Each structure stands twice: as structure tokens, then as C-alpha cells.
Amino acid sequence: GQSLEQPSEVTAVEGAIVQINCTYQTSGFYGLSWYQQHDGGAPTFLSYNGLDGLEETGRFSSFLSRSDSYGYLLLQELQMKDSASYFCAPRGRGQGGKLIFGQGTELSVKP
Amino acid sequence: NAGVTQTPKFRVLKTGQSMTLLCAQDMNHEYMYWYRQDPGMGLRLIHYSVGEGTTAKGEVPDGYNVSRLKKQNFLLGLESAAPSQTSVYFCASSYSREPSGELFFGEGSRLTVL
């Protein structure tokens, strides 16, 4: 079975740092992906964590702790264009290739 | 490279009508997916395919059928549309069987059932 939890909304100001958390329960866990979706648009891949620790890609970083079944996406130097929905998606052994997404966190960046 | 293309992009149906959404990818991807997205519900997996000629149920398969007769195409059918199927439908594809395999999404098909 699988369960996922993300906050539904987060608000932050331009230039700030924001963290979006994701807790999961996934059988045979492999790793955790993150996707970004701007309003009305197609989701796009941001990052994948297969190992514990921090993965950094520019202003975005993603963290994974397998022992805590927990991950987060860290966005630094927030810009207005970062206003979007962010989805975590755990991968599990035996899922046969399917990818289940969390309900998403809507990030609003204010001036 | 077109990536993942969905047709049609918009459609209005009456209750009970049938229709097919077409997803085409030109990246030679093995895996293809159909998701629906409703306000506050995130992306929910309807059906998916791990290769030509195969399909499997996702989280919310009822009321939908799919076919993957060609590797590049994944069709989603609604046999008798209901207002509850009003949604935005996203198709996605992935090449890698590895867990890190990135999904590439189409731009979405907006369906309204009256």
C-alpha cells in the first residue's frame, strides 16, 4: 500500500527560503521524485532522490531520509515565477512502473 | 521533437456520449500513463502501460478503458461520459525502467461533461 502527505498550501515572500515536506509510506521504497506544475500547465520533473541526503540543482534542493520516510523540497531565493504546485511522488518496488503523486502543495510567492 | 502530444486539447460532451483521447509520444518510451487532475485532488493515475500491448489499472480506473496497440500511442476511452468525469486529463511517458525515470507530460486535455 501507499500513503502520501504534503501540506496543501505554503505562502512565502520573494527572496525567502521555503521548505515543502513530504511524508510517505511505500512498500519496497526506491526513491522520491518532485515535480512542478504552473497553473494550467503540464507538470515538469524537478529532482529525484534515491539515496539519503541532499541533492542540489541551482536554487532548488531535495532531501531524503529513508529511515524517517520523509523528504522535502527546498526552494531558495524565491522568485515570483516559483508560484506553482509542487508534487512529491515516491517510487516503490513492485509498483510495476506506476507512479502515484501526492495531492500537491500550492506555493504562493508574494512581493 | 514534439515530445508528448495530446488530442483533443478541449472537448465538451453530453452525458452518455463516448469519446477517445489520444496520446502520442515520439521519444520511444516504454511506459505511458493517463492521469486526471481535479481541483484539490492532485494527479490521480487512471491507467498505465509498461509496453506495447500491455495496460494496467491505476488508482481511479472505473469508467475508462485504454489501449496501447502501438508503442508510441496510448488511447484513453470514455464509453459513456458522466459529469464526474469532467476534468483535465494528462498523459505522460517515461523511457527508463529505473526508479529515477523522469515522466514527460503532455499539455493536458480539458474535458467537460454536461
Side-chain angles (χ1 to χ4, degrees):
Chain A
Q2 180 170 297
S3 68
L4 280 172
E5 281 192 24
Q6 294 181 241
S8 57
E9 296 178 346
V10 173
T11 301
V13 297
E14 254 187 315
I17 299 172
V18 72
Q19 179 173 312
I20 298 173
N21 298 321
C22 173
T23 57
Y24 59 86
Q25 287 185 349
T26 301
S27 301
F29 178 78
Y30 273 140
L32 189 67
S33 298
W34 288 91
Y35 286 75
Q36 178 192 58
Q37 184 185 32
H38 286 100
D39 193 29
T44 55
F45 175 82
L46 286 177
S47 69
Y48 173 79
N49 292 72
L51 301 173
D52 282 0
L54 196 66
E55 295 280 344
E56 298 181 66
T57 308
R59 293 187 297 112
F60 292 8
S61 303
S62 55
F63 172 83
L64 177 66
S65 169
R66 288 171 169 269
S67 60
D68 296 322
S69 296
Y70 164 75
Y72 66 73
L73 183 68
L74 190 73
L75 295 81
Q76 303 182 70
E77 301 173 13
L78 280 174
Q79 302 175 9
M80 298 294 289
K81 67 178 183 180
D82 297 329
S83 292
S85 292
Y86 294 85
F87 296 90
C88 65
R91 284 276 196 182
R93 192 174 294 114
Q95 286 183 304
K98 70 181 180 183
L99 189 62
I100 304 296
F101 288 83
Q103 293 196 359
T105 298
E106 186 175 348
L107 171 64
S108 297
V109 180
K110 307 294 185 186
Chain B
N1 248 355
V4 179
T5 304
Q6 295 182 225
T7 52
K9 291 183 170 46
F10 300 92
R11 183 74 187 269
V12 178
L13 288 177
K14 294 181 179 178
T15 297
Q17 287 185 316
S18 63
M19 76 158 295
T20 300
L21 296 176
L22 171 63
C23 177
Q25 52 93 4
D26 61 2
M27 297 174 282
N28 200 33
H29 285 177
E30 289 289 339
Y31 291 10
M32 297 188 74
Y33 308 80
W34 275 108
Y35 291 89
R36 62 176 288 175
Q37 186 171 38
D38 305 294
M41 298 296 291
L43 292 157
R44 292 185 292 169
L45 181 63
I46 305 171
H47 287 280
Y48 65 105
S49 169
V50 300
E52 182 179 319
T54 73
T55 63
K57 294 180 179 179
E59 301 172 274
V60 288
D62 294 343
Y64 304 95
N65 57 75
V66 287
S67 65
R68 183 95 181 271
L69 298 180
K70 293 183 178 180
K71 186 177 184 179
Q72 63 267 35
N73 295 338
F74 195 28
L75 279 63
L76 178 71
L78 286 73
E79 291 184 347
S80 179
S84 61
Q85 294 178 304
T86 293
S87 189
V88 180
Y89 292 85
F90 286 99
C91 176
S93 70
S94 173
Y95 172 74
S96 176
R97 295 179 186 272
E98 295 299 318
S100 59
E102 174 183 350
L103 264 63
F104 294 83
F105 282 84
E107 292 300 314
S109 297
R110 285 148 181 82
L111 176 65
T112 301
V113 183
L114 303 175

